[in-house]
Amino acid sequence: MLAITQYAFGGPEVLQVVEVDRPRPGPGEVLVRVAATSVNAADWKVRAGLLGQLGDPPLTLGLDVSGVVAELGPGADRFAVGDPVYGMVFGGANAEYVVAPAQTLAPKPRNVDLVHAAALPTAALTAWQALAALGAGQRVLVHAAAGGVGHLAVQIARHRGAYVIGTARAVNHEYLRELGADEVIDYTATDFAAAVRDVDIVLDLVGGAYGSRSLAVLRPDGRLIDTQGSDAEADPRYERFYVEPSGASLREITTMVERGRLRVTIDRILPLPEAAKAHELSEAGRVRGKIVLVAWAPPA
Ligand SMILES: NC(=O)c1ccc[n+]([C@@H]2O[C@H](COP(=O)([O-])OP(=O)(O)OC[C@H]3O[C@@H](n4cnc5c(N)ncnc54)[C@H](OP(=O)(O)O)[C@@H]3O)[C@@H](O)[C@H]2O)c1
């Protein structure tokens, strides 16, 4: 099968289209014929050697998959061959086929196509799991609210009945209000730490010095949920977050999508062999929503 593989850490140019062996599903696993995958910030960080989750090259990136079930491993009886599914995997989705544990997949939402389904898993699971403790009437501040995770976090927070504040450039403000944000702050013109107060949860998708500045807006019993490391780690209200693949959480996300409560924004659709271009766009940090990569011969 074809895969986008890298043999060294480096810039987007290390991504190569190569022929590799098709993986076989083991016990409890499912082989998915990939229709589409999407780009996450982790992809370019792993490619460059900044995150070690996938080990050393050679490696094939890709955390998100949508497609159809091509083969079942022993005991993977939750699905049937031909089922349209989507899910988060730990790498490997930038290929014609990928293997995933059955319990991390879910049936594709009925009201979206496989392209939109591929945009959801990692970003939606991150938003869903990171905001699990958010309750009705609470105030949440979402940094990078217009990005892949952020735009879904705004909708999930709104759905949970929270008062939602987001940081984004002015060009994204109207868009975020349409998604349900109550307040938007242009971080290029306004110091969010001075403009916001009494926040119950900050979802920090920027990190670095945003950490300590975010502590200033929290209530004494508030929580700072950080996705990538920041200067606030010593504070008792700080919490480091790591997304987990979960078919169960994905089914709840499916319900939101099918009820029209959660819609994913696709900034750009590219063919999978143009993964390097997608990485450049992602790394530039201006993507609204998600970039989707469509596989070679997606199923009908
Ligand atoms: N730990 C975990 O489990 C986990 C899981 C998922 C993601 N993450 C991390 O979370 C971060 C966000 O991921 P993502 O996929 O949502 O990224 P993304 O889609 O690449 O984010 C792009 C967005 O960031 C916004 N942005 C850039 N600089 C900003 C700033 N200084 N303040 C506010 N907004 C800013 C941009 O909006 P504007 O154009 O409006 O500036 C753009 O829409 C990444 O670092 C990723 O690695 C971690």
Side-chain angles (χ1 to χ4, degrees):
M1 69 166 187
L2 294 172
I4 308 286
T5 296
Q6 64 183 93
Y7 295 90
F9 293 125
E13 70 282 353
V14 300
L15 301 174
Q16 297 179 33
V17 180
V18 296
E19 186 74 33
V20 297
D21 291 339
R22 185 193 290 190
R24 300 294 312 273
E29 291 181 336
V30 170
L31 180 72
V32 180
R33 177 160 187 166
V34 178
T37 178
S38 77
V39 180
N40 291 281
D43 290 333
W44 60 261
K45 294 178 187 175
V46 171
R47 185 210 71 224
L50 304 173
L51 285 179
Q53 276 96 333
L54 299 186
D56 290 328
L59 51 89
T60 295
L61 300 169
L63 300 174
D64 291 321
V65 61
S66 72
V68 296
V69 173
E71 192 182 331
L72 300 170
D77 43 17
R78 175 188 297 247
F79 296 104
V81 170
D83 283 353
V85 294
Y86 74 139
M88 177 189 165
V89 293
F90 280 118
N94 290 0
E96 283 185 288
Y97 293 87
V98 67
V99 160
Q103 77 265 19
T104 65
L105 298 173
K108 176 189 77 64
R110 285 185 291 263
N111 59 335
V112 300
D113 59 20
L114 286 164
V115 171
H116 285 78
L120 281 162
T122 303
L125 286 168
T126 301
W128 183 269
Q129 293 169 0
L131 295 178
L134 184 68
Q138 290 192 316
R139 287 163 62 82
V140 62
L141 171 61
V142 179
H143 289 310
V149 177
H151 85 290
L152 299 170
V154 165
Q155 297 173 71
I156 289 169
R158 178 62 183 243
H159 178 62
R160 295 200 175 142
Y163 183 88
V164 185
I165 309 159
T167 55
R169 287 177 304 140
V171 69
N172 284 320
H173 287 192
E174 191 182 334
Y175 162 70
L176 288 171
R177 288 190 191 282
E178 281 169 13
L179 293 184
D182 296 286
E183 260 179 67
V184 273
I185 296 168
D186 179 359
Y187 64 89
T188 67
T190 303
D191 175 9
F192 71 82
V196 183
R197 62 177 62 183
D198 295 331
V199 168
D200 296 283
I201 292 181
V202 175
L203 176 54
D204 186 3
L205 300 163
V206 176
Y210 266 49
S212 55
R213 291 172 63 202
S214 294
L215 291 174
V217 312
L218 278 181
R219 293 162 52 98
D221 59 349
R223 291 164 68 186
L224 168 58
I225 299 172
D226 171 47
T227 57
Q228 57 184 338
S230 80
D231 64 357
E233 287 166 22
D235 193 278
R237 293 168 295 176
Y238 175 91
E239 192 179 305
R240 183 75 161 92
F241 170 84
Y242 297 94
V243 63
E244 293 284 343
S246 164
S249 298
L250 215 44
R251 283 177 162 78
E252 302 202 60
I253 289 160
T254 298
T255 301
M256 266 192 84
V257 172
E258 290 182 344
R259 290 183 180 162
R261 302 263 164 78
L262 187 67
R263 53 193 167 94
V264 66
T265 299
I266 296 183
D267 186 300
R268 186 103 50 127
I269 302 171
L270 292 168
L272 196 39
E274 291 185 30
K277 183 175 177 187
H279 277 220
E280 284 167 12
L281 291 167
S282 173
E283 198 163 350
R286 289 285 171 262
V287 175
R288 179 192 276 187
K290 298 285 298 179
I291 298 175
V292 173
L293 295 169
V294 180
W296 284 268

